[in-house]
Amino acid sequence: MPSSSRTLRFAASLAVGVTTLGLVTLSSAPAQAAAICGGDVSIYGTLADGRLTYTAISPNTGDRVKTLIGTNLGFTPKAMATLNFNTVLVTSTAGDLYRVDVQTNDNALALAGVTKIWDGGWTFDKMAYDGAGHLYGTVSGQLHRYNVSQPKPSGPAHIAKHVVIDDGFVLKTLAAVGDDVLIGSTSDGKLLSYQINGVGDWERSELKTDGWSAVDSLVSPGGGLYYGRTNGGMYWYHDADPTDGKGDDIAYHPNDPVDASGWTQTLLSAYAGDCTYQPPVPSTPNPSSQGGQITRSEVMSRAVNWLGRDVPYNQGASASDPEGDHVYRTDCSGFVSMAWHANSSYTTASLANIGTPISKSDLQPGDALNTLDGHVVLFERWVDKAAGKFSYIHEANTSDDMMRGQDYLNGGSDARIAGHAASGYVALRYNKVVGG
């Protein structure tokens, strides 16, 4: 298979005329994506005649590796979401939900079965799975969320805890990019990012104010990689920091597309767990000892370790720190104790014994926001200090485990941070933290 994406084309049944990209160009030179991927990016799709397609794309170069076409699904697809490398959820125009099991996507696309797992009620116009147990769908401007508890769900027992997040999600495209993080584009050309914390609790960031109106399908394998279809061509982008709520670091590759034409699928979906984003962490020349002085960079490095491991939330369990020398309780205050390399696992009531209250406006990476009614988050950085917007890392709950979130000091529209009243939080600085 030739390596240049410009020489790769779909089979004749997918071919359409060559088109041009109608987007603003930030960077036209080939570049290496910052995402960490376990292999090729997997994108499933459906053709107008109901057949399933599979495409593999090299995440570092944007080159299409292969495209395979399978058999007809036996119904008219309406929306789809990829759960994992061999499981796809697809709704029908009749409102039924099907699980499509892929037997192989190596040299041919063969299905192990197509199973109806839900009769009626699935009327979403778009769906996306975030790779971390959350299935999203939009209908009439509402955003819905389900928890998916099995890699091969068989129905309501495994796709449950349905909630309506909110209204106002009128989007042309929708994709999931990570744990409770979505992106979407609008008909007037905006590119938006959403951090979903719960019902009525979400934050929207405007990545681009225009230039995305021509994109009619958007997918993401996670890790800051985005793929957008425009007039039949597939173009790729990578976001240097997909957690910052900004779009000025998104690189475009209009002169090196995945394909300039040929993408005629009616639906497209990527597995959001293919790639992850690993933020750069400064090296720590002098690691701390338990209960000793610790630099801010080491605090954040330790926090990112648990985030990357997605340590499960459990008030009755413990997990090792990055060095494996000590264990800490795996709840919100145990996580902060671990990040600070404290001499034991403190509680939200006792963290004040090793921390000093500070002004919230003085928060720096590695400080904490603690509330005595039962939660604490580790301050990561300012997203927009003038507006009071910041990002944080925390052990969230038994459903979500380790999470990265964004909010405002006043809690934003619902006056809550991570589900707790913003007014109850006290900013704490660990007594042993030092600069750097």
Side-chain angles (χ1 to χ4, degrees):
M1 182 72 72
S3 61
S4 171
S5 63
R6 288 183 287 273
T7 66
L8 295 172
R9 293 293 179 263
F10 277 83
S13 61
L14 288 174
V16 298
V18 175
T19 57
T20 57
L21 177 65
L23 298 177
V24 177
T25 300
L26 294 186
S27 171
S28 60
Q32 296 294 304
I36 300 173
C37 303
D40 291 332
V41 170
S42 297
I43 298 179
Y44 284 98
T46 58
L47 296 172
D49 61 7
R51 286 181 294 169
L52 189 72
T53 69
Y54 171 78
T55 301
I57 298 173
S58 170
N60 290 327
T61 65
D63 291 342
R64 181 166 58 83
V65 178
K66 63 182 175 183
T67 294
L68 305 171
I69 302 175
T71 59
N72 190 292
L73 294 176
F75 59 90
T76 303
K78 182 177 181 180
M80 70 185 302
T82 301
L83 292 189
N84 48 64
F85 71 98
N86 64 358
T87 312
V88 185
L89 295 182
V90 186
T91 65
S92 70
T93 52
D96 301 323
L97 179 65
Y98 293 81
R99 190 188 73 231
V100 179
D101 297 318
V102 178
Q103 185 176 43
T104 179
N105 55 23
D106 190 6
N107 297 318
L109 180 56
L111 303 184
V114 178
T115 306
K116 183 192 290 189
I117 61 173
W118 209 303
D119 283 315
W122 286 78
T123 58
F124 299 122
D125 46 51
K126 287 173 285 292
M127 291 199 309
Y129 180 68
D130 70 355
H134 309 120
L135 177 66
Y136 286 92
T138 58
V139 60
S140 301
Q142 282 188 335
L143 180 68
H144 296 240
R145 184 176 72 180
Y146 296 81
N147 281 8
V148 181
S149 60
Q150 296 292 326
K152 297 283 187 184
S154 60
H158 302 147
I159 304 177
K161 297 185 179 179
H162 170 233
V163 295
V164 178
I165 298 299
D166 215 338
D167 296 311
F169 290 82
V170 180
L171 299 169
K172 185 177 180 180
T173 66
L174 176 71
V177 300
D179 191 358
D180 282 323
V181 182
L182 307 174
I183 58 169
S185 60
T186 61
S187 296
D188 61 358
K190 293 183 176 66
L191 180 65
L192 307 173
S193 174
Y194 297 90
Q195 170 68 54
I196 309 299
N197 300 314
V199 175
D201 184 7
W202 52 276
E203 297 294 337
R204 189 186 90 159
S205 299
E206 195 167 276
L207 303 181
K208 294 295 177 184
T209 58
D210 54 38
W212 286 72
S213 60
V215 174
D216 58 30
S217 187
L218 182 63
V219 300
S220 173
L225 280 171
Y226 313 141
Y227 296 87
R229 182 178 64 186
T230 301
N231 298 325
M234 182 62 82
Y235 297 84
W236 67 292
Y237 323 85
H238 66 269
D239 191 338
D241 184 354
T243 68
D244 62 4
K246 300 178 181 179
D248 54 3
D249 56 351
I250 298 177
Y252 291 50
H253 308 285
N255 297 327
D256 184 25
V258 177
D259 288 292
S261 64
W263 287 74
T264 61
Q265 292 95 328
T266 56
L267 298 174
L268 290 169
S269 174
Y271 172 43
D274 268 343
C275 305
T276 58
Y277 168 70
Q278 183 68 49
V281 178
S283 60
T284 305
N286 298 307
S288 63
S289 59
Q290 189 178 38
Q293 287 191 334
I294 186 171
T295 64
R296 295 186 181 280
S297 60
E298 188 182 352
V299 170
M300 298 314 302
S301 176
R302 292 171 65 86
V304 168
N305 176 271
W306 269 30
L307 180 66
R309 289 160 55 189
D310 197 21
V311 173
Y313 183 103
N314 187 337
Q315 290 183 330
S318 298
S320 64
D321 63 3
E323 296 78 24
D325 295 334
H326 306 97
V327 296
Y328 292 86
R329 192 178 59 252
T330 54
D331 59 10
C332 62
S333 52
F335 160 67
V336 171
S337 301
M338 183 282 302
W340 284 355
H341 210 169
N343 54 16
S344 65
S345 296
Y346 287 78
T347 66
T348 52
S350 61
L351 277 173
N353 296 334
I354 59 170
T356 300
I358 60 172
S359 169
K360 292 179 181 178
S361 62
D362 291 335
L363 282 163
Q364 296 183 48
D367 293 335
L369 282 168
N370 183 51
T371 177
L372 295 181
D373 71 352
H375 200 58
V376 61
V377 303
L378 191 73
F379 182 88
E380 184 177 26
R381 63 182 176 80
W382 291 107
V383 175
D384 184 346
K385 188 172 184 179
K389 188 175 184 180
F390 65 98
S391 68
Y392 60 91
I393 301 174
H394 66 147
E395 271 281 15
N397 50 59
T398 54
S399 298
D400 298 312
D401 302 322
M402 288 296 308
M403 290 186 66
R404 173 184 274 120
Q406 290 188 10
D407 216 318
Y408 294 85
L409 290 177
N410 64 5
S413 59
D414 67 349
R416 300 176 77 82
I417 298 172
H420 296 256
S423 60
Y425 280 94
V426 174
L428 285 180
R429 177 162 295 159
Y430 182 40
N431 291 336
K432 299 294 184 68
V433 74
V434 295

